[in-house]
Amino acid sequence: MSVSSESEPLSRAQRPAEELLSVSALQKYFPIVKGLLRRQVGAVKAVDGIDFAVRRGETLGVVGESGCGKTTMGRLVTRLAEPTGGSITFEGRDITHASQHALRPLRRDIQIIFQDPYSSLNPRLRVAEILLEGMRSLGVGRDDIERISLLEKTLAEVGLPADSLMRYPHEFSGGQRQRIAIARALAVNPKLIVCDEPTSALDVSVQAQILNLLAHLRRDLGLTYLFISHNLAVVEHVASEVAVMYLGRFVERNETDALFRKPGHPYTQALLESVLTPEPGRGVPDIGLGDVMPDPANIPPGCRFNPRCRIAIERCRHEAPTRMVRPPQGMVECHLA
């Protein structure tokens, strides 16, 4: 998979200083209820107090195993889910508990690209109707004639011919369908796009095409991405900053080059070791994480990673780690980092 990198490391002085999106102490708990009276007996802590900011024109990559809370976080940012606690600020405006009516104009500014291009497009509608639906709802364009003209330009930007508008989703390949999904997000001229595993359902060669497309669109249109993935190789190529998520929290965050060159958290190190490399005789690496997946409904005391950590000490089992600064502009939650 040949992917052009958009994560060319820049110093903070070179980067735009304006924060487009800021999240503080964000939480999302799902209650666990049992019995005839449906009493709450616990909670699934899908997102458990995360902080981050995304500057205009940059890409924050969020990585972690399935079930760590990445997708839930993306749904919170787009306000497709209601937060349990914390705050979400977009362009200086607190949108944490904004009503659906108040959020309506914001829907143009924040869009999402879903994971599966096979299920995210209505198979009964032509592409034109799929794309026009959002434009009409959000008041983009004066009429359908102007909207179709805008869509033809948008399709050209994602590498599809104008006659695609009159075809149905089943007439396209997986990569082409994802281009349509990207066009749907672009059609309303957003400022922030949440990419939720946008290439995981695609073949490797098609993944490279979509990643290169996203990189070019970011540069040409000045877009900002929150890029969610379990694939570190993908995130390394697309993100300017990376956050590693485990059991609902960011255990490490740093500029991409720094994090991949010298990871500070044992979980980050294990994830990097898990990336297969074509070395004869190396085989599948044993990264020591075991087969048991973490349970967000039963978070262990102390450091939440300690049951799977190869270097955990007694302190890790009883005392939750505090955030430590990680050069150049990062953080890590680990007693031993």
Side-chain angles (χ1 to χ4, degrees):
M1 181 173 69
S2 177
V3 182
S4 62
S5 175
E6 76 162 301
S7 62
E8 302 154 356
L10 300 174
S11 69
R12 290 289 174 180
Q14 293 174 298
R15 294 182 179 181
E18 181 184 2
E19 289 183 355
L20 183 67
L21 174 72
S22 178
V23 167
S24 177
L26 189 63
Q27 296 176 325
K28 180 60 178 180
Y29 296 171
F30 296 97
I32 300 173
V33 294
K34 288 185 178 180
L36 293 176
L37 299 178
R38 309 297 290 170
R39 290 177 176 170
Q40 183 174 341
V41 296
V44 175
K45 298 181 178 180
V47 177
D48 194 20
I50 60 174
D51 306 277
F52 67 88
V54 187
R55 290 171 174 78
R56 194 181 298 274
E58 293 192 349
T59 299
L60 173 65
V62 179
V63 297
E65 294 167 285
S66 297
C68 72
K70 305 186 303 295
T71 293
T72 300
M73 178 206 63
R75 292 177 61 83
L76 292 173
V77 167
T78 54
R79 284 303 319 278
L80 295 176
E82 186 72 18
T84 303
S87 65
I88 305 168
T89 304
F90 184 78
E91 289 192 317
R93 174 189 170 194
D94 188 342
I95 64 170
T96 313
H97 300 293
S99 67
Q100 291 303 310
H101 176 74
L103 285 172
R104 190 172 183 82
L106 192 71
R107 297 297 183 197
R108 289 185 61 169
D109 293 331
I110 304 177
Q111 287 287 301
I112 186 169
I113 301 171
F114 294 101
Q115 176 177 353
D116 186 1
Y118 297 91
S119 62
S120 65
L121 303 176
N122 190 331
R124 298 184 178 183
L125 299 181
R126 297 181 191 270
V127 170
E129 284 300 313
I130 292 173
L131 302 185
L132 284 171
E133 189 175 34
M135 298 178 75
R136 291 169 181 153
S137 174
L138 297 175
V140 178
R142 290 170 295 183
D143 52 38
D144 279 358
I145 295 176
E146 182 177 351
R147 294 182 189 113
I148 290 293
S149 177
L150 292 171
L151 284 179
E152 289 174 347
K153 295 177 182 178
T154 302
L155 287 177
E157 288 175 337
V158 301
L160 291 174
D163 62 10
S164 300
L165 290 171
M166 302 312 298
R167 298 162 64 188
Y168 289 93
H170 74 266
E171 299 180 60
F172 297 90
S173 68
Q176 289 173 324
R177 293 187 199 191
Q178 198 61 297
R179 289 174 187 266
I180 294 170
I182 294 170
R184 178 171 57 186
L186 291 177
V188 297
N189 194 27
K191 298 174 182 176
L192 171 70
I193 298 181
V194 176
C195 305
D196 185 9
E197 302 266 15
T199 62
S200 64
L202 306 175
D203 294 337
V204 173
S205 60
V206 180
Q207 287 183 24
Q209 296 172 18
I210 297 301
L211 291 172
N212 286 333
L213 171 63
L214 290 171
H216 293 149
L217 291 172
R218 184 191 68 85
R219 289 192 293 265
D220 295 344
L221 303 179
L223 296 172
T224 304
Y225 294 140
L226 179 60
F227 195 98
I228 298 168
S229 179
H230 66 275
N231 191 325
L232 284 116
V234 167
V235 169
E236 183 179 12
H237 284 288
V238 303
S240 45
E241 187 174 358
V242 178
V244 180
M245 197 168 189
Y246 186 81
L247 273 182
R249 286 188 66 82
F250 286 169
V251 295
E252 184 166 9
R253 190 181 70 245
N254 211 338
E255 295 184 359
T256 303
D257 182 63
L259 185 138
F260 277 80
R261 186 179 66 253
K262 191 175 180 181
H265 198 281
Y267 180 59
T268 309
Q269 296 167 10
L271 290 180
L272 291 174
E273 290 175 16
S274 72
V275 178
L276 297 179
T277 56
E279 296 180 18
R282 182 173 184 245
V284 178
D286 179 12
I287 57 175
L289 289 180
D291 298 325
V292 179
M293 295 299 293
D295 182 4
N298 187 26
I299 295 176
C303 172
R304 58 192 62 206
F305 183 61
N306 85 80
R308 305 171 77 192
C309 183
R310 294 174 292 187
I311 61 172
I313 59 177
E314 191 61 27
R315 181 185 181 190
C316 303
R317 296 178 175 87
H318 304 288
E319 182 183 337
T322 56
R323 295 176 187 172
M324 298 174 58
V325 175
R326 187 80 178 168
Q329 294 289 335
M331 55 72 64
V332 62
E333 289 189 348
C334 179
H335 292 303
L336 304 176

